[in-house]
Amino acid sequence: MPEPLTLVTALTSWTADPVSLLVIVLLGGWYGLSARRLGRWPRARTIAFYGAGLGVYAIATLSSIGVYADTLFFMRAAQIILLLMVAPLGLALGAPFTLLRDTGPAWLVARLRSLLHGPFGKVIAFPATASALLIATPWLLYFTSWYPTVLRNGVVDELTRLALLLIGLVYFWSRLQLDPVPRRFHHLVSVWITLAEVVCDAALGLTLWFSGHIVAESYYQALGRTWGPDLRLDQTFGAGVLWIVGDLAGLPFLGALVNRMTKEDAKQAKEIDRVLDEREEAGEDSTRPWWESDPTLSERFRRG
């Protein structure tokens, strides 16, 4: 049982979780060495990977959130949101798979490319698959025996943390499309999916908030905690974290999507201007629709 949670202990309590430290050292070391080897890696991607990715992962597992995750329901809820929604977004913004493609061993890159364009890669990157994994995971965690097992079994706890991080990474990898993907989808698809996730986050939060059932009640009662909120209020706080913080965590993702859409629109506009300029220099009919000369649309236009 850790000390009673206060503002001081919330800021000063840390734990040296060996698995988390190993993940941070291995991923951080590989990313830094690979970026240096490449020599022309964007600084913004490095900041996102270390700060919003590994930094948030460290906060979720090594700070007071990790210390009190087995004691307070709302602290575990905060950890789940950070591992599922925030840290993976930072890692995905760092474009690690592109870095691996450009610097990794040839045999590994070939193997990953084969996996990416095979049936497994196409299924896992499909919008419905990645979204279903992200949405279903918290429901399965809280409303099955998974959650009590996580609290009682350290190995399951560590594996669950890594699974949450991996599920979130698969989701943001397939939605942001910064890294190579089997098939690209319009970013508006991700916007609509995000709106659906907002509804699901609200449904999960409201269910835990107003449910008369205390999740893992026997475990929390056995702790004999005499400080902090009671079990009902603790779960209410946790429901609010899952709902409100979960939705707030989606705002940076929407911002990243808008940024991607803006850049792609600007790139397409430059390509259209280039085609029009080439037609004008070649003396082509200026009344002819530009898309007939566009390399991505001309074939479709002829088929029509």
Side-chain angles (χ1 to χ4, degrees):
M1 177 73 66
E3 298 180 14
L5 180 62
T6 63
L7 179 59
V8 174
T9 57
L11 296 175
T12 60
S13 297
W14 293 85
T15 180
D17 180 69
V19 175
S20 299
L21 290 173
L22 182 62
V23 170
I24 292 170
V25 170
L26 291 179
L27 286 181
W30 164 78
Y31 193 90
L33 291 174
S34 299
R36 173 176 291 186
R37 177 184 174 188
L38 196 60
R40 49 181 175 79
W41 194 246
R43 180 176 299 179
R45 292 184 178 181
T46 301
I47 293 173
F49 188 87
Y50 283 109
L54 293 183
V56 171
Y57 176 74
I59 291 173
T61 58
L62 303 177
S63 72
S64 58
I65 294 176
V67 173
Y68 290 92
D70 291 339
T71 307
L72 293 167
F73 184 93
F74 78 88
M75 279 296 203
R76 176 67 69 167
Q79 185 183 74
I80 290 170
I81 287 297
L82 292 177
L83 292 177
L84 189 63
M85 294 291 294
V86 183
L89 175 58
L91 296 178
L93 287 172
F97 300 115
T98 299
L99 187 61
L100 178 61
R101 181 198 63 189
D102 294 343
T103 62
W107 65 269
L108 179 58
V109 173
R111 178 61 179 167
L112 291 177
R113 184 178 290 112
S114 175
L115 183 65
L116 177 67
H117 294 285
F120 176 78
K122 293 179 180 179
V123 169
I124 202 68
F126 188 69
T129 304
S131 302
L133 282 173
L134 190 81
I135 292 172
T137 296
W139 288 88
L140 292 174
L141 180 61
Y142 282 115
F143 295 103
T144 66
S145 59
W146 186 1
Y147 188 77
T149 305
V150 165
L151 295 173
R152 292 187 170 94
N153 191 305
V155 175
V156 176
D157 187 6
E158 296 288 1
L159 292 175
T160 298
R161 295 180 188 184
L162 294 176
L164 292 173
L165 190 70
L166 181 59
I167 291 170
L169 181 58
V170 168
Y171 173 80
F172 289 115
W173 157 69
S174 62
R175 300 277 56 79
L176 285 173
Q177 303 178 86
L178 279 173
D179 283 313
V181 290
R183 179 184 176 187
R184 294 193 173 275
F185 296 90
H186 196 282
H187 290 300
L188 286 178
V189 175
S190 293
V191 173
W192 285 109
I193 290 175
T194 302
L195 295 177
E197 288 164 2
V198 169
V199 176
C200 292
D201 287 341
L204 176 62
L206 290 173
T207 300
L208 290 170
W209 194 318
F210 294 106
S211 173
H213 171 66
I214 303 297
V215 177
E217 183 175 8
S218 61
Y219 168 84
Y220 286 117
Q221 286 180 341
L223 291 178
R225 176 170 55 83
T226 57
W227 47 266
D230 58 36
L231 299 186
R232 176 69 264 173
L233 186 58
D234 185 20
Q235 182 163 308
T236 300
F237 287 161
V241 169
L242 291 168
W243 179 7
I244 299 173
V245 179
D247 287 344
L248 291 176
L251 294 179
F253 176 50
L254 285 177
L257 281 179
V258 171
N259 183 55
R260 291 279 294 165
M261 292 171 64
T262 302
K263 289 183 177 180
E264 290 184 2
D265 288 344
K267 182 179 179 181
Q268 185 179 17
K270 289 182 179 179
E271 179 64 19
I272 293 173
D273 290 340
R274 184 189 64 80
V275 172
L276 293 176
D277 290 341
E278 290 179 353
R279 287 178 53 191
E280 184 176 353
E281 292 176 0
E284 295 184 21
D285 183 7
S286 60
T287 62
R288 181 186 176 191
W290 64 266
W291 56 81
E292 292 187 20
S293 302
D294 187 275
T296 61
L297 298 177
S298 57
E299 184 65 26
R300 182 182 304 177
F301 180 84
R302 284 196 293 270
R303 286 200 303 267

